[in-house]
Amino acid sequence: MTLAELIEKGGFSIWPLLFLSILALGTIFERIWFWSKVLVKEEQILNSIMDAATTNWGKAGEIASRYRHHPLGKYLNTPLQLDNPDPEVFHLALETGADDELSQMRKGDKILEGVIALSPLLGLLGTVLGLIRSLGSISLSDLGTASTAGVTLGIGESLISTAVGLVVAIIAVVFYRLFQAFWANQVRIFRKAGSDLELIYRQKWSVDE
């Protein structure tokens, strides 16, 4: 079935479904590109900053500043750029940086959530309207006659919109769950990295004092 035939047989609800599918695909491709950049260098950035922090605090700040385009680098760079802060201020800077970066990582989630919620409903609406149109074209006197043969075909065609809506929703759900798994893993990494860096700083602070 070609796209033109799909649009013709699917009814008016195919148009918003096509819009939602384009919106979902655009969001999915953007998030795949984002996460590929985040995950590729993350371990290298984390190890570089932590190794430097244990031996040379100033160098750790330079490395974090160099990688501030990366979410993890930007997160660790926030407290490292403070000038000899109190440990409580250092902890607050870590929390603020984590909140900012982790919230940015959830960009696009609302779009996918909307697609997941709306696609099946639009598909069902298209099916209901198609059934109303098909059944409204016959009368009781036509039941059991050859004139009702086209109704069966019309009912089958009206189900196309439901199928399209479910396909769009399923694809969106799969990638939404994948991105949620990536985000949950980042929460764990950020929490551990922040705790390790804060521990190193508190030890350094106690020695300096």
Side-chain angles (χ1 to χ4, degrees), residues 73-113:
K74 188 176 180 181
Y75 160 58
L76 296 178
N77 182 58
T78 301
L80 285 171
Q81 297 309 309
L82 298 176
D83 185 17
N84 197 33
D86 183 272
E88 295 305 319
V89 175
F90 189 89
H91 177 77
L92 183 60
L94 279 171
E95 287 188 341
T96 303
D99 289 342
D100 290 342
E101 294 307 313
L102 290 173
S103 63
Q104 286 295 318
M105 288 181 180
R106 302 198 69 170
K107 178 184 176 183
D109 282 4
K110 294 300 182 183
I111 294 177
L112 292 180
E113 288 173 1

Side-chain angles (χ1 to χ4, degrees), residues 126-195:
T127 294
V128 170
L129 294 178
L131 290 173
I132 292 173
R133 184 173 61 251
S134 297
L135 296 176
S137 63
I138 62 172
S139 61
L140 292 176
S141 59
D142 294 329
L143 293 177
T145 65
S147 60
T148 61
V151 176
T152 303
L153 180 60
I155 292 174
E157 291 180 352
S158 68
L159 294 173
I160 291 175
S161 60
T162 295
V164 172
L166 289 175
V167 168
V168 173
I170 289 170
I171 293 174
V173 166
V174 169
F175 283 98
Y176 175 78
R177 291 300 185 187
L178 178 64
F179 299 146
Q180 286 292 298
F182 287 158
W183 181 84
N185 187 56
Q186 290 302 303
V187 172
R188 181 185 61 80
I189 292 173
F190 273 47
R191 184 180 293 120
K192 186 175 187 309
S195 298

